[in-house]
Amino acid sequence: MRRVHATPLPDQAIAILKALHPLTDRGESSFISPSTTSSKIPISENTTTIALRRLGFGQDQMTSHGFRAAFATLANESGKWSVDAIERQLAHMEGSAVRRAYARGQYWDERVAMMQWWADYLDQLREGAKIISFQDKRKTKRR
């Protein structure tokens, strides 16, 4: 989007960056993941898409942008976060010019908590979250 976007980092991301620091900090770039063609620009979205393809994910299974969509969907469905905080976290611009002119909040404290919630949620999935069957739930409610 060619504009500054600050984002809070959860504890897990900070730990990963600290572990990577000795491998990535050569003083050649201000980016954590610079492009292979120039240290003055970051990797492109295509880089992560290519990585997904090499991992065996097809075009119809996952894309780089799909991670953002998954976050947006689950954060909204959780009911824990304001739409404004979620949209600000995704660096989306307000659709209305009037609202864009007046709604300048960053929702920082909420976004800090939201990103920690997201990282914790992803950890739970990796470790094998308990899956609740919707069908079982419906049978219980009907009784």
Side-chain angles (χ1 to χ4, degrees), residues 71-83 86-87 90 117:
F71 164 76
T73 300
L74 293 169
N76 276 296
E77 286 188 350
S78 77
K80 295 175 181 289
W81 317 107
S82 71
V83 172
I86 294 167
E87 291 299 302
L90 292 166
W117 165 83

Side-chain angles (χ1 to χ4, degrees), residues 16-30:
I16 290 168
L17 290 173
K18 284 181 178 179
L20 287 174
H21 190 261
L23 304 172
T24 59
D25 185 32
R26 297 185 180 93
E28 301 164 6
S29 178
S30 59

Side-chain angles (χ1 to χ4, degrees), residues 55-120:
L55 288 169
F57 292 96
Q59 287 178 323
D60 58 337
Q61 293 176 304
M62 186 49 116
T63 63
S64 298
H65 203 73
F67 291 113
R68 290 170 54 89
F71 164 76
T73 300
L74 293 169
N76 276 296
E77 286 188 350
S78 77
K80 295 175 181 289
W81 317 107
S82 71
V83 172
D84 288 330
I86 294 167
E87 291 299 302
R88 185 68 70 208
Q89 183 58 36
L90 292 166
H92 288 166
M93 298 253 325
E94 290 290 340
S96 160
V98 173
R99 181 155 163 78
R100 199 167 42 243
Y102 292 102
R104 299 180 186 173
Q106 293 299 309
Y107 309 95
W108 189 256
D109 291 342
E110 186 175 3
R111 288 171 54 207
V112 167
M114 180 170 47
M115 295 315 293
Q116 188 60 56
W117 165 83
W118 180 244
D120 293 343

Side-chain angles (χ1 to χ4, degrees), residues 30-42:
S30 59
F31 295 103
I32 295 166
S33 300
S35 167
T36 56
T37 58
S38 170
S39 63
K40 295 182 178 168
I41 59 174

